[in-house]
């Protein structure tokens, strides 16, 4: 499979769970996905493949773990072989989905109305940490109040 095809499949893989978390948050399938995290785990396998196995199999340069010690090193990683850049993108997809799953689980456990969670989930989908930040701020104001209807 080419890196371009894997990129498309990885992007498509996360979409159903995001859709379910937004429009069917209490559906048993959605609950299973956010509790067991099978999609981020599948992405974890793809991540390991494209970061470690694919570069070696193609004879290209592998990941330079020393690059993580500087901003210039990280920048160089994102200019590296397609497989390593794809691994980085899959990392984002997986952890944004984990963050969104946390927002949904925690929000439901705190009985925060789903309407309040939707903007957090959308931000997690597009800009992971900002959705988590919004949820943290939202939780400060809503989770201790007796009425959190939206």
């Amino acid at each position: 499979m080419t890196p371009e095809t894997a990129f498309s499949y990885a992007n498509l893989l996360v979409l159903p769970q995001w859709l379910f978390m937004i429009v069917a948050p209490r559906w048993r399938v959605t609950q299973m996905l956010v509790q067991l995290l099978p999609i981020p785990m599948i992405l974890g396998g793809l991540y390991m493949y494209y970061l470690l196995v694919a570069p070696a199999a193609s004879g290209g340069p592998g990941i330079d773990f020393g690059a993580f010690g500087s901003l210039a090193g990280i920048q160089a990683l994102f200019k590296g072989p397609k497989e390593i850049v794809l691994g980085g993108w899959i990392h984002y997809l997986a952890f944004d989905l984990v963050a969104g799953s946390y927002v949904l689980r925690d929000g439901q456990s705190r009985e925060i109305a789903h309407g309040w969670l939707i903007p957090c989930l959308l931000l997690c989908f597009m800009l992971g940490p900002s959705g988590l930040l919004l949820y943290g701020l939202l939780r400060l104001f809503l989770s201790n109040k007796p009425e959190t209807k939206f």
Side-chain angles (χ1 to χ4, degrees):
M1 174 179 337
T2 67
E4 289 80 9
T5 302
F7 174 83
S8 296
Y9 285 159
N11 285 326
L12 289 173
L13 181 63
V14 300
L15 290 179
Q17 183 173 338
W18 281 112
L19 183 63
F20 295 159
M21 289 192 307
I22 291 168
V23 301
R26 297 209 179 268
W27 186 35
R28 65 181 177 83
V29 172
T30 307
Q31 292 297 305
M32 181 273 303
L33 290 170
V34 301
Q35 294 294 327
L36 300 178
L37 302 172
I39 294 172
M41 289 187 192
I42 292 167
L43 290 171
L46 286 173
Y47 171 77
M48 295 301 294
Y49 176 78
Y50 281 102
L51 220 57
L52 302 174
V53 178
S58 69
I63 191 163
D64 174 13
F65 289 99
F68 293 108
S70 70
L71 183 56
I74 297 295
Q75 186 177 12
L77 285 175
F78 282 98
K79 291 180 181 176
K82 285 182 182 180
E83 293 84 1
I84 292 175
V85 175
L86 177 57
W89 178 247
I90 291 170
H91 181 278
Y92 286 122
L93 290 175
F95 277 95
D96 288 355
L97 192 53
V98 169
S101 296
Y102 166 77
V103 166
L104 183 62
R105 279 192 323 263
D106 192 69
Q108 288 176 341
S109 73
R110 294 173 185 274
E111 299 180 354
I112 296 173
H114 189 67
W116 290 107
L117 300 179
I118 290 174
C120 303
L121 291 169
L122 291 171
L123 273 176
C124 279
F125 175 60
M126 296 304 295
L127 305 164
S130 60
L132 198 56
L133 173 63
L134 179 61
Y135 176 68
L137 295 171
L138 183 75
R139 202 170 75 176
L140 286 174
F141 295 102
L142 295 181
S143 67
N144 293 327
K145 292 184 178 182
E147 187 65 36
T148 58
K149 300 291 181 210
F150 181 68

